[in-house]
Amino acid sequence: MKERAMALCMEGENCSRAILRAASETYGFPLSDELLMSCNAISAGFGVGGICSALVAAVMVLGILFPVEEAKQKSLILLCKAQGNWNCVDCCRLSARRENCNDLIGEIAEMLEEIICEE
């Protein structure tokens, strides 16, 4: 999933769309055009440098794949890992540390996949 998310980003998909599309292809869940279009409003940290939209999309994937309580637990794990790895979860600070976000999207996809596979 990591490589696919990074490839989608390189092809011009925004962060959240890259994560959602890669997860959809990997785990076989359908994506509606409306869901993908909604990613346009959350890219670049909701347009104001807020929470990273790739992380938001990863949380959305967990909501698609797991029952409510398990999705909430796994989302908390994901966000805590991100905070632990980078000391922040906001777009401005995460992107300021990089030339582009492609590697970050790959790291988020990799973390997401690990959390999905955890028992």
Side-chain angles (χ1 to χ4, degrees):
M1 188 170 87
K2 175 182 178 176
E3 291 78 16
R4 183 62 180 142
M6 292 173 72
L8 287 162
C9 184
M10 294 290 287
E11 292 170 12
E13 286 287 23
N14 70 39
C15 302
S16 52
R17 287 175 65 110
I19 293 291
L20 277 174
R21 286 189 55 204
S24 171
E25 292 171 16
T26 301
Y27 297 103
F29 59 84
L31 286 179
S32 68
D33 289 339
E34 292 83 5
L35 181 58
L36 286 172
M37 288 174 21
S38 73
C39 292
N40 297 331
I42 66 171
S43 66
F46 290 83
V48 294
I51 189 168
C52 169
S53 66
L55 285 171
V56 172
V59 168
M60 293 167 63
V61 168
L62 294 171
I64 291 168
L65 294 178
F66 296 97
V68 174
E69 289 308 313
E70 190 173 359
K72 287 180 182 180
Q73 287 177 329
K74 289 182 177 285
S75 295
L76 183 58
I77 292 167
L78 173 75
L79 293 172
C80 286
K81 280 186 178 188
Q83 181 69 36
N85 286 351
W86 306 305
N87 293 320
C88 65
V89 293
D90 61 280
C91 179
C92 280
R93 290 186 9 199
L94 287 170
S95 62
R97 300 174 185 169
R98 298 171 166 73
E99 192 171 312
N100 63 56
C101 287
N102 197 38
D103 288 339
L104 177 65
I105 290 167
E107 291 175 45
I108 291 170
E110 189 171 52
M111 278 194 304
L112 174 61
E113 198 159 36
E114 288 170 6
I115 290 167
I116 288 169
C117 294
E118 287 176 355
E119 293 295 320

